[in-house]
Amino acid sequence: MKTSDSGIGNVKELIAAFDAIKAKFPAYENRPQQMEMASEISRCFREKNNLIVEAGTGVGKSFAYLIPAVLSDRKTIISTASIALQEQLAGKDLVFLQKALPKKFSFAVLKGKNNYLCNKRFREYNENTDVFMKFSEWAADTGTGEKDELDFIPDFWPKVCGESDDCSSSHCPFYEACFYYCHYRGLGKSDIIVVNHHLLIYDLLSGFSLLPFHFQLVIDEAHQLENVISGVMGSVLSNSKVQWLLYRLRGLKIAVDNLFVPVEQFFGNHEPRSKTLHPIPDEILEDLKKLKGLLALDKVERRLEAYKENGHEDEILDRIETTIICIKSLGGVIDDFLEQKDGERVYYAIWNKRYLELRSSLVEARNAFSALRSGYDSIVMTSATLTAAGSFGYIRERLDIEGFREMTVGSPFDYGKQALIYIEKSLPPPAVENNHIFFERSLKTIESLIEASRGRALVLFTSYRHLQYAADNIKTGYSFKSQGDMPPAKLIKWFKKNPGSVLFATATFWQGIDVKGEKLSLVVIVKMPFGAPGDPVYDERCRRLGDRWFRVLALPSAILMLKQGFGRLIRSAGDYGVVAILDPRLVNSTYGPAIVSSLPEARIAHSIDEVKKFFDSVPRTS
């Protein structure tokens, strides 16, 4: 009986909270789906259970989990996929709720140390340039030391920002005035802390010592968690990391001038036969073994340990101690790449700009997710894309999720009226042997679609090569830009400011882009976003699955990404538009129906004339 009474009281409290929002913001739309989701999350928190919920576009999932978190009277961690989403929650949603809700609460945002200026490292660094002088003026005036305060990000930022391997925390002579720790020390007073998935997993690696409390956890954009775990629990060996150590050693009067050229040669002189190399070629590993001998890290460490006994001021002593930590870390990473004994990780090489990087990534995230679960009384996982063909089976298997209640909340949008799905049937399949033909013929279709929509289009590719072909050869009277022409945020700003414009994009633009209204009326998905062969982590996951690789990994992961791309179109109840999918496999393959059934219920068309009729029939606001 107590549970029932508590549940009734809780629902009343939720209704009162949403009524308060409506009173403060009369234009706020009542969404039954949002209340349904908020009620289930509130119940989850109250009963200390776990929940996974897919919330369709337009549900308003951030309020659906933030309001129950505020009302629960329990400290809550909110984890998002990126710093941009952190800022949306903290700079918009939580600020609004503080004003609208009668219940008082506090919140804070925590970012990684590399987002803050490090006073110790800044004192060590110097260059005689106008940019550095301008930066120094900012450093003298800043109250937070946050990178986001800057209107420019200098190339030397990685050398002056916080770095975990170069931080002795409370033992640092600059600890009391440290920008990061000044911010960090106030977090325990907050009711809600907003972090990103990378910090969430770093907290796990630290034995849950990084974040200040562990009661309730909301994981937004949960579909990205597996790949974040994979990257964070891997390692990187790069030119910048080794060069930085050499500069630090030189500053400590260790003779290393003879090492700069060999390090530059190792990372810069290997021929980039392809962007990714897996397995790492033997000649690279042989050269790494030689470089390890030249660096003589054990000898340098002994030298610094002896140097430490000579008596130094606190600043120099801290520099010596953190340098020893960096040496041990670097030595461990080098040995790991030489031995490659960890069967849970995949080892590979990539080219980042003009330099070689050695990387390892965790293949399976199940054990890490299980450890994460153990740190919280209650976990809510949510995203707009968690099911494929109506099932949570994919994410359940990838993370070994057990004991979570499952919930699907549909979108409040009327896709039957607001959207049309165009599926191309006549193009050749986009197989390797048909690449050039598919490029040519799909471009003609893209041109026809852009003409029908009068621009206002986002065209999503699965490869930069295809994007570049389209950008070089398209014939259209509408202005267009491509991903890479300017930074992503500025590119979106350009698109919003130029009516009728067209944006060609790939990778990150498949998700997180929010353009409401007529400015985005057509989303073209040129090809199904199946994982690309040559991605070492994806390839290894497929190999481990054997004959099941397509059914349980390739297909559902592609469906989730397709749904993300589709979600760029309808962003409000007044939006209208067309999603065009040019991959004929949706029509002529045995798995096509599973893909189509995962999309929102909208009318399907197969001719450009139907697209034209749709655009002629929709209401215009300008």
Side-chain angles (χ1 to χ4, degrees):
M1 191 69 184
K2 286 183 179 179
T3 302
S4 176
D5 290 344
S6 173
I8 292 170
N10 196 263
V11 170
K12 287 181 178 178
E13 199 174 12
L14 279 173
I15 293 171
F18 281 104
D19 285 346
I21 292 173
K22 183 73 175 177
K24 194 80 176 181
F25 185 42
Y28 189 80
E29 299 174 4
N30 289 320
R31 284 166 278 190
Q33 298 88 346
Q34 188 179 54
M35 177 59 78
E36 180 187 0
M37 180 177 173
S39 297
E40 191 63 23
I41 291 174
S42 183
R43 175 187 168 198
C44 175
F45 286 158
R46 188 173 64 252
E47 298 177 357
K48 296 182 181 178
N49 286 328
N50 299 316
L51 172 70
I52 182 168
V53 50
E54 180 179 78
T57 306
V59 166
K61 60 185 169 64
S62 60
F63 278 15
Y65 60 69
L66 288 174
I67 292 174
V70 169
L71 298 180
S72 71
D73 282 325
R74 301 195 80 218
K75 292 183 180 289
T76 307
I77 300 288
I78 310 290
S79 182
T80 70
S82 67
I83 288 176
L85 289 171
Q86 278 183 272
E87 291 172 345
Q88 177 185 318
L89 286 173
K92 183 181 176 184
D93 297 340
L94 285 165
V95 170
F96 174 79
L97 290 177
Q98 274 188 328
K99 296 175 181 176
L101 296 180
K103 188 176 184 66
K104 301 302 177 186
F105 70 95
S106 58
F107 69 90
V109 177
L110 181 64
K111 303 174 187 176
K113 288 180 181 176
N114 62 342
N115 289 279
Y116 297 86
L117 177 68
C118 172
N119 287 319
K120 178 184 73 175
R121 301 181 89 202
F122 178 56
R123 277 170 62 97
E124 293 178 36
Y125 187 83
N126 186 46
E127 65 176 47
N128 187 24
T129 64
D130 291 340
V131 172
F132 186 73
M133 293 299 293
K134 182 180 178 184
F135 181 83
S136 298
E137 292 173 4
W138 170 80
D141 293 336
T142 180
T144 68
E146 282 198 53
K147 180 173 65 173
D148 288 343
E149 279 189 6
L150 290 162
D151 56 9
F152 69 102
I153 306 299
D155 291 339
F156 55 77
W157 176 260
K159 298 176 182 177
V160 298
C161 68
E163 163 64 50
S164 294
D165 282 347
D166 189 26
C167 181
S168 59
S169 61
S170 60
H171 299 293
C172 174
F174 297 93
Y175 174 73
E176 289 303 322
C178 174
F179 291 116
Y180 174 81
Y181 281 106
C182 281
H183 177 68
Y184 183 86
R185 286 192 288 270
L187 293 178
K189 301 174 185 176
S190 302
D191 299 305
I192 293 174
I193 298 179
V194 183
V195 304
N196 59 57
H197 294 349
H198 287 78
L199 269 177
L200 184 70
I201 305 307
Y202 280 120
D203 181 53
L204 173 63
L205 285 173
S206 74
F208 296 111
S209 65
L210 176 60
L211 300 181
F213 47 75
H214 295 84
F215 301 100
Q216 299 174 162
L217 170 64
V218 176
I219 304 174
D220 197 352
E221 302 300 324
H223 64 282
Q224 297 194 40
L225 186 64
E226 180 187 16
N227 286 333
V228 173
I229 291 173
S230 176
V232 170
M233 302 193 82
S235 58
V236 178
L237 180 62
S238 66
N239 180 61
S240 60
K241 183 173 288 190
V242 181
Q243 293 279 7
W244 178 86
L245 178 60
L246 294 182
Y247 279 109
R248 168 61 68 81
L249 291 172
R250 187 161 68 179
L252 291 170
K253 310 303 181 188
I254 304 291
V256 293
D257 286 354
N258 62 313
L259 297 176
F260 284 92
V261 171
V263 169
E264 179 78 16
Q265 287 176 338
F266 173 76
F267 289 102
N269 284 5
H270 285 97
E271 182 183 352
R273 286 167 286 176
S274 63
K275 183 170 175 59
T276 305
L277 296 175
H278 174 244
I280 301 172
D282 289 341
E283 61 265 30
I284 290 178
L285 295 175
E286 284 299 319
D287 287 346
L288 179 60
K289 191 181 297 183
K290 292 174 186 175
L291 182 63
K292 177 189 174 185
L294 286 173
L295 292 173
L297 295 176
D298 291 343
K299 182 179 177 181
V300 175
E301 183 184 342
R302 289 193 297 271
R303 175 92 176 269
L304 289 174
E305 289 285 1
Y307 193 30
K308 197 167 62 171
E309 304 301 322
N310 294 339
H312 297 280
E313 61 185 44
D314 289 347
E315 186 176 343
I316 298 298
L317 188 60
D318 177 80
R319 198 181 302 177
I320 294 170
E321 289 175 342
T322 53
T323 303
I324 290 171
I325 292 171
C326 290
I327 287 172
K328 289 179 177 178
S329 175
L330 179 62
V333 169
I334 290 174
D335 286 342
D336 186 39
F337 280 106
L338 289 173
E339 297 167 3
Q340 299 187 30
K341 287 182 178 178
D342 189 344
E344 295 304 310
R345 292 196 282 174
V346 60
Y347 298 83
Y348 54 101
I350 70 163
W351 266 264
N352 187 353
K353 297 179 180 177
R354 64 185 186 90
Y355 286 108
L356 178 76
E357 280 187 4
L358 303 186
R359 292 188 179 184
S360 71
S361 299
L362 193 67
V363 178
E364 304 292 349
R366 296 181 183 90
N367 291 338
F369 181 73
S370 177
L372 180 68
R373 281 186 61 182
S374 71
Y376 293 87
D377 296 335
S378 182
I379 295 179
V380 172
M381 303 176 70
T382 186
S383 170
T385 53
L386 288 173
T387 65
S391 170
F392 286 96
Y394 170 69
I395 192 167
R396 196 189 305 127
E397 172 161 327
R398 295 309 306 160
L399 294 177
D400 196 20
I401 294 175
E402 293 181 356
F404 276 59
R405 287 207 297 267
E406 297 177 354
M407 180 183 192
T408 302
V409 182
S411 171
F413 300 146
D414 187 348
Y415 285 98
K417 290 182 178 179
Q418 292 179 250
L420 176 73
I421 301 174
Y422 170 84
I423 300 177
E424 176 61 57
K425 294 197 299 184
S426 62
L427 289 174
V432 174
E433 61 271 19
N434 292 329
N435 248 350
H436 190 68
I437 299 172
F438 183 76
F439 282 13
E440 282 185 346
R441 291 180 57 183
S442 64
L443 183 57
K444 298 296 183 188
T445 305
I446 292 169
E447 291 170 350
S448 298
L449 288 165
I450 290 172
E451 191 64 31
S453 66
R454 303 182 297 279
R456 308 179 297 165
L458 172 64
V459 186
L460 295 171
F461 298 86
T462 58
S463 74
Y464 282 100
R465 182 176 165 223
H466 196 172
L467 181 154
Q468 198 58 55
Y469 173 87
D472 290 343
N473 294 282
I474 191 167
K475 294 178 176 62
T476 179
Y478 296 95
S479 61
F480 71 91
K481 287 190 182 295
S482 301
Q483 185 175 347
D485 288 349
M486 56 178 67
K490 290 186 177 180
L491 207 54
I492 295 298
K493 196 172 182 180
W494 169 85
F495 183 76
K496 290 179 177 180
K497 280 190 171 183
N498 290 272
S501 58
V502 178
L503 180 56
F504 288 170
T506 183
T508 54
F509 281 74
W510 280 75
Q511 49 197 339
I513 305 303
D514 188 6
V515 181
K516 292 184 175 70
E518 286 190 345
K519 290 175 183 177
L520 177 54
S521 298
L522 170 68
V523 173
V524 181
I525 295 171
V526 181
K527 183 179 172 183
M528 273 294 294
F530 287 109
D535 176 339
V537 181
Y538 178 78
D539 287 350
E540 180 61 18
R541 287 172 180 167
C542 289
R543 187 192 68 78
R544 293 185 181 195
L545 287 167
D547 293 342
R548 301 167 62 232
W549 72 272
F550 184 79
R551 177 172 54 85
V552 303
L553 176 63
L555 181 58
S557 64
I559 288 173
L560 294 193
M561 183 60 78
L562 179 67
K563 288 168 69 175
Q564 282 288 331
F566 193 110
R568 298 316 97 213
L569 182 67
I570 305 298
R571 308 299 296 175
S572 73
D575 285 359
Y576 292 84
V578 173
V579 171
I581 306 171
L582 308 190
D583 194 326
R585 290 175 292 186
L586 268 70
V587 176
N588 58 29
S589 69
T590 56
Y591 55 81
I595 297 172
V596 175
S597 70
S598 298
L599 299 176
E601 292 186 10
R603 185 164 61 89
I604 294 175
H606 299 291
S607 75
I608 301 293
D609 283 342
E610 289 178 272
V611 174
K612 290 177 181 176
K613 288 177 183 176
F614 176 85
F615 280 118
D616 288 341
S617 68
V618 300
R620 296 194 190 184
T621 59
S622 60

